[in-house]
Amino acid sequence: MNTAIRPFRIDISQAQIDDLRARLRGTRWPKPSSDDWSRGQALSRVRELASYWADGYDWRAHEARLNRYPQFLTEINGQTLHFLHIKSAEPNAFPLILSHGWPSTVAEFLALIGPLTDPRAHGLDPAVAFDLVIPSLPGFGFSSPLAGPGWDAARTAAAWDTLMTRLGYARYGAQGNDAGALVGRELGILQPAGLTGVHLQQIFAFPSGTPGEMDALSPFEQAGFANLARFQKYNGYADIQSKRPGTLAFGLADSPVAQLAWNAELFLGFEGESAATIDPNRFLTHVSIYWFTATGGQAAEFFFENARSGAGYRDLPNPVPTAVASFPADFRSVRSFAARANHRLVQWTEMPRGGHFATEEEPALLVEDMRRFFGKQA
């Protein structure tokens, strides 16, 4: 087994950047019957973002921002894994592994790195500081190509434990959002010796049909069912990626606008909720990583593998201390539902604001919640 850890630096060639811009300028656009979000992403907003991607967005600036942090490649179970590894200067910093979601990337955590690793510089108590390991999920971004089938949330969780052990960490915590929350829960189910706790932005647990189970829900949890209903109405992306990722992959690998529009389903919102307020640079950094690595289809296979195995959604017990930070404009986890299989819910926070991409939208809230939880685990 190859256990080497090799330094890595993002270095997209100018030829790739020129090709992207040429493809964007040569896009053949659809002719929808209406320019709104009723049938998919709005043509006018996608065209606006594509135009900015071609002629305004500066990939080199965002590439340089990522390259400020030490990055590495290693191989686990035949799969190349890319990760950032940022060590704190504070003594006794506690190790955390952070898992991004779909359709984001390791760039999801850029706003958290400073406060977590260098709290002193951000006006926070330096007694609570962290070493961070931030991997790209298998098949996502620079953790590619996929070495083969089977990379669901459970197999990824086992690889994360191997990675932390390989880096020399005997004890660590885990945090995750979206796909990363599935990996985090699977880490809890696996319960490796070094894992002290998991912090999740979602636990995807649903009503069981037991009489009276809805009666004790908090007003926050009750209001969350409107979010769930909207998701169930529009989540075609989850169905397609769970069933036919290989067919989808042809369009995502060949057309940058297809990749942009596909990722926009969550970033801009099903009904364009975030279309006017989203930071285009933040959004296009994620899309660019998918495009330059041609991993849109491979990332979709994560859904396919979980649909086959049930990983991330299984009712197997998680006995590890667990925290949940539930944001109002996101899937709102329900504590009583989650408690059926997560037996040590020691911290539960109903956040005052923020949504699915809280790592970027409300990083201060998330940092505070993580420091409160993992400060006790360390």
Side-chain angles (χ1 to χ4, degrees):
M1 182 174 62
N2 182 5
T3 61
I5 296 174
R6 310 184 303 279
F8 176 79
R9 182 177 177 83
I10 302 171
D11 186 16
I12 301 302
S13 71
Q14 189 59 44
Q16 288 177 279
I17 297 172
D18 292 344
D19 174 71
L20 166 63
R21 289 172 174 161
R23 288 171 182 262
L24 288 167
R25 292 167 185 150
T27 298
R28 186 171 69 167
W29 294 97
K31 298 178 175 62
S33 58
S34 60
D35 187 20
D36 59 22
W37 277 268
S38 61
R39 293 165 173 79
Q41 292 298 307
L43 173 64
S44 58
R45 189 65 175 111
V46 173
R47 290 193 77 146
E48 182 181 7
L49 285 165
S51 176
Y52 179 68
W53 197 9
D55 297 311
Y57 172 76
D58 183 358
W59 163 255
R60 289 296 185 209
H62 297 280
E63 181 183 67
R65 186 184 180 200
L66 284 162
N67 280 334
R68 293 209 316 254
Y69 301 107
Q71 297 175 63
F72 303 89
L73 299 177
T74 195
E75 185 179 302
I76 297 176
N77 293 334
Q79 176 62 48
T80 296
L81 293 176
H82 160 259
F83 62 97
L84 283 65
H85 188 193
I86 305 100
K87 294 185 178 182
S88 174
E90 298 294 339
N92 303 315
F94 186 65
L96 294 182
I97 186 166
L98 311 182
S99 302
H100 67 83
W102 180 92
S104 55
T105 66
V106 292
E108 179 177 342
F109 295 109
L110 288 175
L112 274 61
I113 292 173
L116 291 175
T117 62
D118 191 6
R120 193 183 302 270
H122 292 78
L124 301 171
D125 182 1
V128 181
F130 303 94
D131 287 353
L132 298 182
V133 178
I134 310 176
S136 298
L137 294 173
F140 288 66
F142 302 103
S143 286
S144 60
L146 271 175
W151 280 97
D152 64 0
R155 189 176 182 187
T156 302
W160 275 196
D161 183 61
T162 300
L163 176 60
M164 295 304 278
T165 301
R166 187 172 295 179
L167 292 172
Y169 294 124
R171 299 175 68 249
Y172 66 93
Q175 198 277 344
N177 175 44
D178 188 82
L182 303 185
V183 175
R185 208 185 99 71
E186 287 294 334
L187 263 169
I189 294 169
L190 182 64
Q191 197 184 2
L195 182 68
T196 68
V198 295
H199 183 285
L200 309 173
Q201 286 166 243
Q202 306 89 9
I203 291 180
F204 298 100
F206 301 94
S208 66
T210 302
E213 69 178 342
M214 306 294 287
D215 297 343
L217 269 59
S218 71
F220 181 93
E221 291 170 334
Q222 291 173 349
F225 280 91
N227 295 358
L228 179 61
R230 186 181 300 110
F231 179 80
Q232 290 174 330
K233 178 180 179 181
Y234 290 119
N235 74 332
Y237 78 86
D239 274 349
I240 292 170
Q241 295 190 149
S242 296
K243 296 172 181 176
R244 302 296 286 175
T247 304
L248 172 69
F250 291 102
L252 300 186
D254 189 57
S255 168
V257 167
Q259 185 72 73
L260 184 160
W262 192 250
N263 286 31
E265 282 289 274
L266 280 190
F267 272 105
L268 270 62
F270 296 126
E271 297 174 330
E273 306 95 295
S274 302
T277 59
I278 192 169
D279 177 353
N281 293 295
R282 172 171 65 85
F283 170 59
L284 290 172
T285 295
H286 294 299
V287 181
S288 295
I289 291 173
Y290 281 77
W291 172 255
F292 287 132
T293 59
T295 53
Q298 291 185 24
E301 292 198 27
F302 185 80
F303 289 75
F304 181 83
E305 298 294 353
N306 291 327
R308 295 180 69 185
S309 69
Y313 303 96
R314 302 179 294 175
D315 285 334
L316 296 177
N318 162 26
V320 172
T322 299
V324 173
S326 187
F327 289 85
D330 191 15
F331 176 89
R332 298 191 193 182
S333 303
V334 174
R335 184 166 190 164
S336 58
F337 300 169
R340 294 195 301 258
N342 301 275
H343 299 154
R344 297 176 68 186
L345 292 174
V346 300
Q347 181 173 301
W348 192 277
T349 309
E350 295 179 351
M351 290 292 184
R353 60 187 180 275
H356 192 67
F357 301 100
T359 51
E360 297 173 298
E361 298 165 354
E362 297 292 343
L365 290 178
L366 198 57
V367 165
E368 179 185 7
D369 206 65
M370 291 170 63
R371 284 171 54 85
R372 183 158 57 96
F373 176 64
F374 288 116
K376 300 171 186 175
Q377 305 303 315

